Amino acid sequence: MPAFDDIPLEILKVGPNGPAEGRPTLVFAHGAFAGAWIWLGGFLQHFADKGYPCVAFGFRGHAHGDPETPPNGIGLDQYVQDLKEVVAAIDGPVVVVAHSMGGLVAQMALGHVAPRALCLLAPAPIEGMAWSNTQLAFADPHLWLAALQTALEPHSATPDMTRRAMLSEDAPQAMVDAIFGRLRAEPTLALSQAHMPQAAASAQALGIPTLVIRGTRDKLIPDDACVRTALYHGARYERLPEIAHGLMVDTHWQRCAEAIEQWLGDVAVSA
């Protein structure tokens, strides 16, 4: 199977815009259908202004200018290699902040990368998404069918589905349209693997402080999945009210950023 190693990664660097002495570099890994762009503005600017060097990267096939549909043979193992490559290129301590399927990749990478700390935002669980999707099918059949159709036929996605899957009902339509316009297809192999159990070391066993965050409006990653993820990694688990799955872009994204900032201070992450 081809490794698609010739596909370059998109890497965005922001900050620090304040005193950075002792600050680790924050590495941001996106979820399915997104890219490095999803961290721009809000999260990257917030943490850069707090003195953190910030690096957001897109998994291979997700860069601006790449074909709209990445090669279907790209899988989670390639994404793990992407994260390893980005972290290895950074001097000094790193904290990985990963969302959804990116959170699954970050868990799979434990033992291969050694972040000073790990923050998982609505992470896809290492048990796979099959049970979570079964719960979604019963809780919101319309969204489940729309998500399934989008996975099979990416061009069938709509702004309304983007709102229901990622954002709160009060999200401005302009925000919904802007996000929808930048979403892209996800390789079939990566999506399939995300539904299957994956091997991952325990962050607690490796001595890596971990935070798991979920918004109470999240329709894609159920609370019980995040509880199991937090227990497996010995992580702190925080539930944030009035935020949906897109924790870094939803209307109250600042609450998530502030929770991460507080946790970084609590675990005294520094160089």
Side-chain angles (χ1 to χ4, degrees):
M1 180 181 295
F4 304 103
D5 291 333
D6 59 337
I7 301 177
L9 305 184
E10 180 175 38
I11 299 178
L12 307 177
K13 298 181 180 181
V14 178
N17 299 330
E21 184 176 354
R23 301 284 196 184
T25 298
L26 305 186
V27 173
F28 295 89
H30 63 83
F33 305 104
W37 58 267
I38 203 163
W39 304 99
L40 281 172
F43 259 50
L44 292 189
Q45 194 63 49
H46 176 92
F47 286 103
D49 288 345
K50 300 296 181 180
Y52 288 95
C54 297
V55 175
F57 75 98
F59 293 115
R60 67 187 72 183
H62 292 72
H64 178 71
D66 281 347
E68 187 174 342
T69 302
N72 282 326
I74 296 176
L76 296 182
D77 287 342
Q78 280 86 11
Y79 291 171
V80 169
Q81 291 297 322
D82 295 341
L83 178 58
K84 289 171 59 178
E85 177 182 325
V86 172
V87 171
I90 295 171
D91 293 327
V94 166
V95 174
V96 173
V97 181
H99 177 246
S100 197
M101 190 169 74
L104 174 57
V105 172
Q107 293 175 79
M108 294 170 61
L110 291 172
H112 303 284
V113 299
R116 185 65 58 87
L118 174 64
C119 179
L120 302 172
L121 308 181
I126 57 173
E127 69 206 36
M129 286 291 294
W131 174 237
S132 297
N133 277 345
T134 300
Q135 290 177 289
L136 176 61
F138 282 97
D140 192 334
H142 178 76
L143 178 58
W144 177 77
L145 286 170
L148 177 61
Q149 185 176 8
T150 298
L152 298 173
E153 301 176 5
H155 295 293
S156 67
T158 65
D160 179 66
M161 182 199 163
T162 299
R163 178 191 293 277
R164 297 185 64 188
M166 293 188 63
L167 303 169
S168 297
E169 292 182 2
D170 60 350
Q173 188 60 44
M175 175 194 296
V176 177
D177 292 341
I179 293 171
F180 171 74
R182 299 199 69 171
L183 296 177
R184 59 191 307 113
E186 192 67 38
T188 303
L189 180 59
L191 287 177
S192 299
Q193 291 174 332
H195 284 75
M196 306 173 188
Q198 300 296 329
S202 166
Q204 185 176 39
L206 296 173
I208 300 172
T210 302
L211 173 67
V212 175
I213 296 179
R214 176 183 178 271
T216 58
R217 292 177 175 174
D218 195 326
K219 297 180 179 180
L220 300 184
I221 306 294
D223 182 71
D224 64 287
C226 286
V227 168
R228 289 190 294 275
T229 297
L231 287 172
Y232 182 74
H233 294 294
R236 179 191 299 182
Y237 180 29
E238 294 195 22
R239 301 173 176 90
L240 299 183
E242 299 180 342
I243 306 181
H245 185 66
L247 287 147
M248 75 294 288
V249 289
D250 203 10
T251 48
H252 299 295
W253 65 265
Q254 294 93 336
R255 295 177 184 173
C256 184
E258 290 165 0
I260 297 171
E261 184 184 350
Q262 177 65 53
W263 169 74
L264 288 172
D266 290 347
V267 299
V269 175
S270 66

Coordinates of all heavy atoms in Angstrom, one line a residue, residues 102-197:
G102 N -8.6 13.7 15.5 CA -7.2 14.1 15.9 C -6.8 13.6 17.3 O -5.7 13.3 17.6
G103 N -7.9 13.6 18.1 CA -7.6 13.1 19.5 C -7.4 11.6 19.5 O -6.5 11.2 20.3
L104 N -8.0 10.9 18.7 CA -7.7 9.5 18.5 C -6.2 9.3 18.0 O -5.5 8.4 18.6 CB -8.7 8.8 17.6 CG -8.4 7.3 17.2 CD1 -8.3 6.4 18.5 CD2 -9.5 6.8 16.2
V105 N -5.8 10.1 17.0 CA -4.5 10.0 16.5 C -3.5 10.3 17.6 O -2.4 9.6 17.8 CB -4.3 10.9 15.3 CG1 -2.9 11.0 14.9 CG2 -5.2 10.5 14.2
A106 N -3.8 11.3 18.4 CA -2.9 11.7 19.5 C -2.7 10.6 20.5 O -1.6 10.3 21.1 CB -3.3 13.0 20.2
Q107 N -3.8 9.9 20.8 CA -3.7 8.7 21.7 C -2.9 7.6 21.1 O -2.1 7.0 21.8 CB -5.1 8.2 22.0 CG -6.0 9.2 22.8 CD -7.4 8.7 23.0 OE1 -7.7 7.9 23.9 NE2 -8.3 9.2 22.2
M108 N -3.1 7.3 19.8 CA -2.3 6.3 19.2 C -0.8 6.6 19.1 O 0.0 5.7 19.1 CB -2.8 6.1 17.8 CG -4.3 5.5 17.7 SD -4.9 5.6 16.0 CE -3.7 4.5 15.1
A109 N -0.5 7.9 19.2 CA 0.9 8.3 19.1 C 1.6 8.3 20.4 O 2.9 8.4 20.4 CB 1.0 9.7 18.5
L110 N 0.9 8.1 21.5 CA 1.6 8.0 22.8 C 2.6 6.8 22.8 O 2.3 5.7 22.4 CB 0.5 7.8 23.9 CG -0.4 9.0 24.2 CD1 -1.5 8.7 25.1 CD2 0.5 10.2 24.7
G111 N 3.7 7.1 23.3 CA 4.8 6.1 23.3 C 5.7 6.4 22.1 O 6.9 5.9 22.1
H112 N 5.2 7.0 21.0 CA 6.0 7.4 19.9 C 6.4 8.9 19.9 O 7.4 9.3 19.3 CB 5.2 7.1 18.6 CG 4.8 5.7 18.4 ND1 5.6 4.7 18.1 CD2 3.6 5.1 18.6 CE1 5.0 3.5 18.1 NE2 3.7 3.8 18.4
V113 N 5.5 9.7 20.5 CA 5.9 11.1 20.8 C 5.8 11.2 22.4 O 5.1 10.5 23.0 CB 4.9 12.1 20.1 CG1 5.0 11.9 18.6 CG2 3.5 11.9 20.6
A114 N 6.5 12.2 22.9 CA 6.5 12.4 24.3 C 6.1 13.8 24.7 O 7.0 14.6 25.1 CB 7.9 12.0 24.9
P115 N 4.9 14.2 24.5 CA 4.5 15.6 24.9 C 4.6 15.8 26.4 O 4.5 14.8 27.2 CB 3.0 15.6 24.5 CG 2.5 14.2 24.5 CD 3.7 13.4 24.1
R116 N 4.8 17.0 26.8 CA 4.9 17.3 28.2 C 3.5 17.2 28.8 O 3.3 16.8 30.0 CB 5.4 18.8 28.4 CG 5.6 19.2 29.9 CD 6.7 18.4 30.6 NE 7.9 18.5 29.9 CZ 8.8 19.5 30.1 NH1 8.5 20.5 31.0 NH2 10.0 19.5 29.5
A117 N 2.4 17.4 28.0 CA 1.1 17.2 28.5 C 0.2 17.0 27.2 O 0.6 17.3 26.1 CB 0.6 18.4 29.3
L118 N -1.0 16.5 27.5 CA -1.9 16.2 26.4 C -3.3 16.7 26.7 O -3.9 16.4 27.8 CB -2.0 14.6 26.2 CG -3.0 14.1 25.2 CD1 -2.6 14.5 23.8 CD2 -3.0 12.5 25.2
C119 N -3.9 17.4 25.7 CA -5.3 17.8 25.9 C -6.2 17.3 24.8 O -5.9 17.5 23.6 CB -5.3 19.4 25.9 SG -7.0 20.0 26.0
L120 N -7.2 16.5 25.1 CA -8.1 15.9 24.2 C -9.4 16.5 24.2 O -10.1 16.5 25.2 CB -8.2 14.4 24.5 CG -6.9 13.6 24.6 CD1 -7.1 12.2 25.1 CD2 -6.3 13.5 23.2
L121 N -9.8 17.1 23.1 CA -11.1 17.8 22.9 C -12.1 16.9 22.2 O -11.9 16.6 21.0 CB -10.9 19.1 22.2 CG -9.8 20.1 22.7 CD1 -9.8 21.4 21.8 CD2 -10.0 20.4 24.1
A122 N -13.1 16.5 22.9 CA -14.1 15.6 22.3 C -13.5 14.5 21.5 O -13.7 14.3 20.3 CB -15.1 16.4 21.5
P123 N -12.6 13.7 22.2 CA -11.8 12.8 21.4 C -12.6 11.6 20.9 O -13.4 11.0 21.7 CB -10.7 12.4 22.4 CG -11.3 12.5 23.7 CD -12.2 13.7 23.6
A124 N -12.3 11.1 19.7 CA -12.8 9.8 19.3 C -12.1 8.8 20.2 O -10.9 8.9 20.4 CB -12.5 9.6 17.8
P125 N -12.8 7.8 20.7 CA -12.2 6.9 21.7 C -11.4 5.8 21.0 O -11.7 5.4 19.9 CB -13.5 6.3 22.4 CG -14.5 6.4 21.4 CD -14.3 7.6 20.6
I126 N -10.5 5.2 21.8 CA -9.6 4.2 21.2 C -10.5 2.9 21.0 O -10.0 2.0 20.3 CB -8.4 3.9 22.1 CG1 -8.8 3.5 23.5 CG2 -7.5 5.1 22.1 CD1 -7.6 3.1 24.4
E127 N -11.6 2.8 21.6 CA -12.5 1.6 21.4 C -13.1 1.7 20.0 O -13.7 0.7 19.6 CB -13.6 1.6 22.5 CG -14.6 2.7 22.3 CD -15.3 3.1 23.6 OE1 -14.7 3.1 24.7 OE2 -16.5 3.5 23.5
G128 N -13.0 2.8 19.3 CA -13.6 3.0 18.0 C -15.0 3.7 18.2 O -15.5 3.8 19.3
M129 N -15.4 4.3 17.1 CA -16.6 5.1 17.1 C -17.9 4.3 16.8 O -19.0 4.8 16.8 CB -16.5 6.1 16.0 CG -15.6 7.3 16.3 SD -16.2 8.3 17.6 CE -17.7 9.0 16.8
A130 N -17.8 3.0 16.7 CA -19.0 2.2 16.4 C -20.1 2.3 17.4 O -21.3 2.6 17.1 CB -18.6 0.7 16.2
W131 N -19.8 2.2 18.7 CA -20.8 2.4 19.7 C -21.3 3.8 19.8 O -22.5 4.0 20.0 CB -20.2 1.9 21.1 CG -21.2 2.1 22.3 CD1 -20.9 2.9 23.4 CD2 -22.5 1.6 22.4 NE1 -22.0 2.8 24.2 CE2 -23.0 2.1 23.6 CE3 -23.3 0.9 21.6 CZ2 -24.3 1.8 24.1 CZ3 -24.6 0.6 22.1 CH2 -25.1 1.0 23.3
S132 N -20.4 4.8 19.7 CA -20.9 6.2 19.7 C -21.8 6.4 18.6 O -22.8 7.2 18.8 CB -19.6 7.1 19.6 OG -18.8 6.9 20.7
N133 N -21.6 5.9 17.4 CA -22.5 6.1 16.3 C -23.8 5.4 16.5 O -24.9 5.8 16.0 CB -21.8 5.6 15.0 CG -20.9 6.7 14.4 OD1 -21.0 7.8 14.8 ND2 -20.1 6.3 13.5
T134 N -23.8 4.2 17.2 CA -25.0 3.6 17.5 C -25.9 4.4 18.4 O -27.1 4.6 18.2 CB -24.8 2.2 18.2 OG1 -24.0 1.4 17.3 CG2 -26.1 1.5 18.5
Q135 N -25.2 5.1 19.4 CA -26.0 6.0 20.3 C -26.5 7.2 19.5 O -27.7 7.6 19.7 CB -25.0 6.5 21.4 CG -24.7 5.4 22.4 CD -23.7 5.9 23.4 OE1 -22.5 6.2 23.1 NE2 -24.1 6.1 24.6
L136 N -25.7 7.7 18.5 CA -26.2 8.8 17.7 C -27.4 8.4 16.9 O -28.4 9.2 16.7 CB -25.1 9.3 16.8 CG -25.5 10.4 15.8 CD1 -26.0 11.7 16.5 CD2 -24.3 10.7 14.9
A137 N -27.4 7.2 16.4 CA -28.5 6.7 15.5 C -29.8 6.7 16.3 O -30.9 7.0 15.7 CB -28.2 5.3 15.0
F138 N -29.8 6.4 17.6 CA -31.0 6.4 18.4 C -31.4 7.8 18.8 O -32.5 8.2 18.9 CB -30.8 5.5 19.6 CG -31.0 4.0 19.3 CD1 -29.9 3.2 19.0 CD2 -32.2 3.4 19.1 CE1 -30.0 1.9 18.7 CE2 -32.4 2.1 18.8 CZ -31.3 1.3 18.6
A139 N -30.3 8.6 19.2 CA -30.6 9.9 19.7 C -31.0 10.9 18.6 O -31.9 11.8 18.9 CB -29.4 10.4 20.4
D140 N -30.4 10.8 17.4 CA -30.7 11.8 16.4 C -30.6 11.1 15.0 O -29.6 11.2 14.3 CB -29.8 13.0 16.4 CG -30.2 14.1 15.5 OD1 -30.9 13.9 14.5 OD2 -29.8 15.3 15.8
P141 N -31.6 10.3 14.7 CA -31.5 9.5 13.4 C -31.2 10.3 12.2 O -30.5 9.9 11.3 CB -32.9 8.8 13.3 CG -33.4 8.8 14.7 CD -32.9 10.1 15.4
H142 N -31.8 11.5 12.1 CA -31.6 12.3 10.9 C -30.1 12.7 10.8 O -29.6 12.6 9.7 CB -32.5 13.6 11.0 CG -32.3 14.5 9.9 ND1 -32.8 14.3 8.6 CD2 -31.6 15.7 9.8 CE1 -32.5 15.3 7.8 NE2 -31.7 16.2 8.5
L143 N -29.5 13.1 11.9 CA -28.1 13.5 11.8 C -27.2 12.3 11.5 O -26.3 12.4 10.8 CB -27.7 14.2 13.1 CG -26.2 14.6 13.2 CD1 -25.8 15.6 12.1 CD2 -25.9 15.2 14.6
W144 N -27.6 11.2 12.1 CA -26.8 10.0 11.9 C -26.8 9.6 10.4 O -25.8 9.3 9.8 CB -27.4 8.8 12.7 CG -26.7 7.5 12.4 CD1 -25.4 7.1 12.9 CD2 -27.1 6.4 11.6 NE1 -25.1 5.9 12.4 CE2 -26.2 5.4 11.7 CE3 -28.3 6.2 10.9 CZ2 -26.3 4.2 11.0 CZ3 -28.5 5.0 10.2 CH2 -27.5 4.0 10.3
L145 N -28.0 9.6 9.8 CA -28.1 9.3 8.3 C -27.4 10.3 7.5 O -26.7 10.0 6.5 CB -29.6 9.3 7.9 CG -30.4 8.0 8.4 CD1 -31.9 8.2 8.1 CD2 -29.9 6.8 7.7
A146 N -27.5 11.6 7.9 CA -26.8 12.6 7.1 C -25.3 12.4 7.2 O -24.5 12.6 6.2 CB -27.2 14.0 7.6
A147 N -24.8 12.1 8.4 CA -23.3 11.9 8.6 C -22.9 10.7 7.8 O -21.8 10.7 7.2 CB -23.0 11.7 10.1
L148 N -23.7 9.6 7.8 CA -23.3 8.4 7.0 C -23.3 8.7 5.5 O -22.3 8.3 4.8 CB -24.4 7.3 7.3 CG -24.2 6.0 6.5 CD1 -22.8 5.4 6.8 CD2 -25.3 5.0 6.8
Q149 N -24.3 9.5 5.1 CA -24.3 9.8 3.6 C -23.1 10.7 3.3 O -22.5 10.5 2.2 CB -25.6 10.5 3.3 CG -25.7 10.9 1.8 CD -27.1 11.5 1.5 OE1 -27.8 11.8 2.4 NE2 -27.3 11.6 0.2
T150 N -22.7 11.6 4.2 CA -21.6 12.5 3.9 C -20.3 11.7 3.9 O -19.4 12.0 3.0 CB -21.5 13.6 5.0 OG1 -22.6 14.4 5.0 CG2 -20.2 14.4 4.8
A151 N -20.1 10.7 4.7 CA -19.0 9.8 4.7 C -18.8 9.1 3.4 O -17.7 8.9 2.8 CB -19.0 8.9 5.9
L152 N -20.0 8.6 2.8 CA -20.0 7.9 1.6 C -20.0 8.8 0.4 O -19.4 8.5 -0.6 CB -21.2 7.0 1.5 CG -21.3 5.9 2.6 CD1 -22.7 5.2 2.6 CD2 -20.2 4.9 2.5
E153 N -20.7 10.0 0.5 CA -20.7 10.9 -0.6 C -20.5 12.3 -0.1 O -21.4 13.0 0.3 CB -22.1 10.9 -1.3 CG -22.5 9.5 -1.8 CD -23.9 9.5 -2.4 OE1 -24.6 10.5 -2.4 OE2 -24.4 8.4 -2.8
P154 N -19.2 12.7 0.0 CA -18.9 14.0 0.7 C -19.6 15.2 0.1 O -19.9 16.1 0.9 CB -17.4 14.1 0.4 CG -16.9 12.7 0.3 CD -18.0 12.0 -0.4
H155 N -19.9 15.2 -1.2 CA -20.6 16.3 -1.8 C -22.1 16.5 -1.3 O -22.7 17.5 -1.7 CB -20.5 16.3 -3.3 CG -19.1 16.4 -3.8 ND1 -18.4 17.5 -3.7 CD2 -18.3 15.5 -4.4 CE1 -17.2 17.3 -4.2 NE2 -17.1 16.1 -4.7
S156 N -22.6 15.5 -0.6 CA -23.9 15.6 -0.1 C -24.1 16.4 1.2 O -25.2 16.7 1.6 CB -24.5 14.2 0.2 OG -23.8 13.6 1.3
A157 N -22.9 16.8 1.7 CA -23.0 17.6 3.0 C -23.7 19.0 2.7 O -23.6 19.5 1.6 CB -21.6 17.9 3.5
T158 N -24.3 19.5 3.8 CA -25.0 20.8 3.7 C -24.6 21.7 4.9 O -24.1 21.2 5.9 CB -26.5 20.6 3.7 OG1 -26.9 20.0 5.0 CG2 -26.9 19.6 2.6
P159 N -24.8 23.0 4.8 CA -24.5 23.8 5.9 C -25.4 23.5 7.1 O -24.9 23.5 8.3 CB -24.9 25.2 5.4 CG -24.7 25.1 3.9 CD -25.1 23.8 3.6
D160 N -26.6 23.0 6.9 CA -27.5 22.7 8.0 C -26.9 21.5 8.8 O -26.9 21.4 10.0 CB -28.9 22.3 7.6 CG -29.8 21.9 8.7 OD1 -30.1 22.7 9.6 OD2 -30.1 20.7 8.7
M161 N -26.3 20.5 8.1 CA -25.7 19.4 8.7 C -24.4 19.8 9.5 O -24.2 19.3 10.6 CB -25.3 18.3 7.7 CG -24.7 17.1 8.4 SD -23.7 16.1 7.3 CE -22.8 15.1 8.5
T162 N -23.7 20.8 9.0 CA -22.5 21.3 9.7 C -22.9 21.9 11.0 O -22.3 21.7 12.0 CB -21.8 22.3 8.8 OG1 -21.4 21.7 7.6 CG2 -20.6 22.9 9.5
R163 N -24.0 22.7 11.0 CA -24.5 23.3 12.2 C -24.9 22.2 13.2 O -24.5 22.2 14.4 CB -25.7 24.2 11.9 CG -26.3 24.8 13.2 CD -27.6 25.5 12.9 NE -27.5 26.7 12.1 CZ -27.1 27.9 12.5 NH1 -26.9 28.1 13.8 NH2 -27.0 28.9 11.7
R164 N -25.6 21.2 12.8 CA -26.1 20.2 13.7 C -25.0 19.3 14.2 O -25.1 18.9 15.4 CB -27.2 19.4 13.0 CG -28.4 20.2 12.6 CD -29.5 19.2 12.0 NE -30.0 18.3 13.0 CZ -30.8 17.3 12.8 NH1 -31.2 17.1 11.6 NH2 -31.2 16.6 13.8
A165 N -24.0 19.1 13.4 CA -22.9 18.2 13.9 C -21.9 18.9 14.7 O -21.3 18.3 15.6 CB -22.3 17.6 12.6
M166 N -21.6 20.2 14.4 CA -20.4 20.8 15.0 C -20.8 22.0 15.9 O -20.0 22.4 16.8 CB -19.5 21.3 13.9 CG -18.8 20.2 13.1 SD -17.5 20.9 12.1 CE -16.4 21.6 13.2
L167 N -21.9 22.7 15.7 CA -22.1 24.0 16.3 C -23.4 24.0 17.0 O -24.3 23.2 16.9 CB -22.1 25.1 15.2 CG -20.8 25.2 14.3 CD1 -21.1 26.1 13.2 CD2 -19.7 25.6 15.2
S168 N -23.5 25.1 17.9 CA -24.8 25.3 18.6 C -25.8 25.9 17.7 O -25.5 26.5 16.7 CB -24.5 26.2 19.8 OG -23.6 25.5 20.7
E169 N -27.1 25.8 18.2 CA -28.2 26.3 17.3 C -28.1 27.9 17.2 O -28.6 28.4 16.2 CB -29.5 25.9 18.0 CG -29.8 24.4 17.9 CD -31.1 24.1 18.5 OE1 -31.9 25.0 18.9 OE2 -31.5 22.9 18.5
D170 N -27.4 28.5 18.2 CA -27.3 30.0 18.1 C -26.1 30.5 17.3 O -25.9 31.7 17.3 CB -27.3 30.6 19.5 CG -26.2 30.1 20.4 OD1 -25.5 29.1 19.9 OD2 -26.0 30.6 21.5
A171 N -25.4 29.6 16.7 CA -24.2 30.0 15.9 C -24.7 30.8 14.7 O -25.6 30.5 14.0 CB -23.5 28.8 15.4
P172 N -24.1 32.0 14.5 CA -24.5 32.8 13.3 C -24.4 32.1 12.0 O -23.4 31.3 11.8 CB -23.5 34.0 13.4 CG -23.0 34.0 14.8 CD -23.0 32.6 15.2
Q173 N -25.3 32.3 11.1 CA -25.2 31.6 9.8 C -24.0 31.9 9.1 O -23.4 31.0 8.4 CB -26.4 32.1 9.0 CG -26.6 31.2 7.7 CD -26.8 29.8 8.0 OE1 -27.6 29.4 8.9 NE2 -26.2 28.9 7.2
A174 N -23.4 33.1 9.2 CA -22.2 33.4 8.5 C -21.0 32.5 9.0 O -20.2 32.1 8.2 CB -21.8 34.9 8.7
M175 N -21.0 32.2 10.3 CA -20.0 31.3 10.9 C -20.2 29.9 10.3 O -19.3 29.2 9.9 CB -20.1 31.2 12.4 CG -19.2 30.2 13.0 SD -19.6 29.9 14.8 CE -19.3 31.5 15.5
V176 N -21.5 29.4 10.2 CA -21.8 28.1 9.7 C -21.3 28.0 8.2 O -20.6 27.0 7.9 CB -23.3 27.8 9.8 CG1 -23.6 26.5 9.2 CG2 -23.7 27.8 11.2
D177 N -21.6 29.0 7.4 CA -21.3 29.0 6.0 C -19.8 29.0 5.8 O -19.2 28.3 4.9 CB -21.9 30.2 5.3 CG -23.4 30.1 5.2 OD1 -24.0 29.0 5.4 OD2 -24.1 31.1 5.1
A178 N -19.1 29.8 6.7 CA -17.6 29.9 6.5 C -16.9 28.5 6.8 O -16.0 28.1 6.1 CB -17.1 31.0 7.4
I179 N -17.4 27.9 7.9 CA -16.8 26.6 8.2 C -17.2 25.5 7.2 O -16.4 24.8 6.7 CB -17.3 26.1 9.6 CG1 -16.8 27.1 10.7 CG2 -16.9 24.7 9.9 CD1 -17.3 26.9 12.1
F180 N -18.5 25.5 6.8 CA -18.9 24.5 5.8 C -18.1 24.7 4.5 O -17.7 23.7 3.9 CB -20.4 24.7 5.5 CG -20.9 23.9 4.3 CD1 -21.1 22.6 4.4 CD2 -21.1 24.5 3.1 CE1 -21.5 21.8 3.3 CE2 -21.6 23.8 2.0 CZ -21.7 22.4 2.1
G181 N -17.8 25.9 4.1 CA -17.1 26.1 2.9 C -15.6 25.6 2.9 O -15.0 25.5 1.8
R182 N -15.1 25.3 4.1 CA -13.7 24.9 4.1 C -13.6 23.4 4.5 O -12.5 22.9 4.5 CB -12.9 25.7 5.1 CG -12.9 27.2 4.8 CD -11.8 27.9 5.5 NE -10.5 27.5 5.0 CZ -9.3 28.1 5.3 NH1 -9.4 29.2 6.1 NH2 -8.2 27.7 4.9
L183 N -14.7 22.8 4.8 CA -14.6 21.3 5.1 C -14.3 20.5 3.9 O -14.6 21.0 2.7 CB -15.9 20.8 5.7 CG -16.3 21.5 7.0 CD1 -17.7 20.9 7.5 CD2 -15.3 21.1 8.1
R184 N -13.6 19.4 4.0 CA -13.2 18.6 2.9 C -13.5 17.1 3.2 O -13.7 16.7 4.3 CB -11.7 18.8 2.6 CG -10.8 18.5 3.7 CD -9.4 19.0 3.5 NE -8.9 18.5 2.2 CZ -8.6 19.4 1.2 NH1 -8.8 20.6 1.3 NH2 -8.1 18.9 0.1
A185 N -13.4 16.3 2.2 CA -13.6 14.9 2.3 C -12.5 14.3 3.2 O -11.4 14.8 3.2 CB -13.7 14.2 0.9
E186 N -12.9 13.2 3.8 CA -11.9 12.5 4.6 C -11.6 11.1 4.0 O -12.6 10.5 3.4 CB -12.4 12.3 6.0 CG -11.4 11.8 7.0 CD -10.4 12.8 7.3 OE1 -10.7 14.0 7.4 OE2 -9.2 12.4 7.5
P187 N -10.4 10.7 3.9 CA -10.1 9.4 3.3 C -10.9 8.2 3.9 O -11.1 8.2 5.1 CB -8.6 9.1 3.6 CG -8.0 10.5 3.8 CD -9.1 11.3 4.4
T188 N -11.4 7.4 3.0 CA -12.3 6.3 3.5 C -11.6 5.4 4.5 O -12.2 4.9 5.5 CB -12.7 5.4 2.3 OG1 -13.4 6.3 1.3 CG2 -13.6 4.3 2.7
L189 N -10.3 5.1 4.3 CA -9.5 4.2 5.2 C -9.5 4.9 6.6 O -9.7 4.2 7.6 CB -8.1 4.0 4.6 CG -7.2 3.1 5.5 CD1 -7.9 1.7 5.7 CD2 -5.9 3.0 4.9
A190 N -9.2 6.1 6.7 CA -9.1 6.8 8.0 C -10.4 6.7 8.7 O -10.4 6.4 9.9 CB -8.6 8.2 7.8
L191 N -11.5 7.0 8.0 CA -12.8 7.0 8.6 C -13.1 5.6 9.1 O -13.7 5.4 10.2 CB -13.9 7.5 7.7 CG -13.9 9.0 7.4 CD1 -15.0 9.3 6.4 CD2 -14.2 9.8 8.7
S192 N -12.8 4.6 8.3 CA -13.1 3.2 8.7 C -12.3 2.8 9.9 O -12.9 2.2 10.8 CB -12.8 2.3 7.5 OG -13.6 2.6 6.4
Q193 N -11.1 3.1 9.9 CA -10.2 2.8 11.1 C -10.7 3.5 12.3 O -10.5 2.9 13.4 CB -8.8 3.1 10.8 CG -8.2 2.2 9.7 CD -6.8 2.7 9.3 OE1 -6.4 3.8 9.4 NE2 -6.0 1.7 8.8
A194 N -11.2 4.7 12.2 CA -11.7 5.4 13.4 C -12.8 4.7 14.1 O -13.1 5.0 15.2 CB -12.0 6.8 13.0
H195 N -13.5 3.8 13.3 CA -14.7 3.1 13.9 C -14.2 1.8 14.5 O -15.1 1.1 15.1 CB -15.7 2.8 12.8 CG -16.5 4.0 12.5 ND1 -16.0 5.1 11.7 CD2 -17.8 4.4 12.8 CE1 -16.9 6.0 11.6 NE2 -18.0 5.7 12.3
M196 N -13.0 1.4 14.4 CA -12.4 0.2 14.9 C -11.6 0.4 16.2 O -11.0 1.5 16.3 CB -11.6 -0.5 13.9 CG -12.3 -0.8 12.6 SD -11.2 -1.4 11.3 CE -12.2 -1.3 9.8
P197 N -11.4 -0.5 17.1 CA -10.5 -0.4 18.2 C -9.1 -0.1 17.7 O -8.6 -0.8 16.8 CB -10.7 -1.7 19.0 CG -12.0 -2.2 18.6 CD -12.2 -1.8 17.1

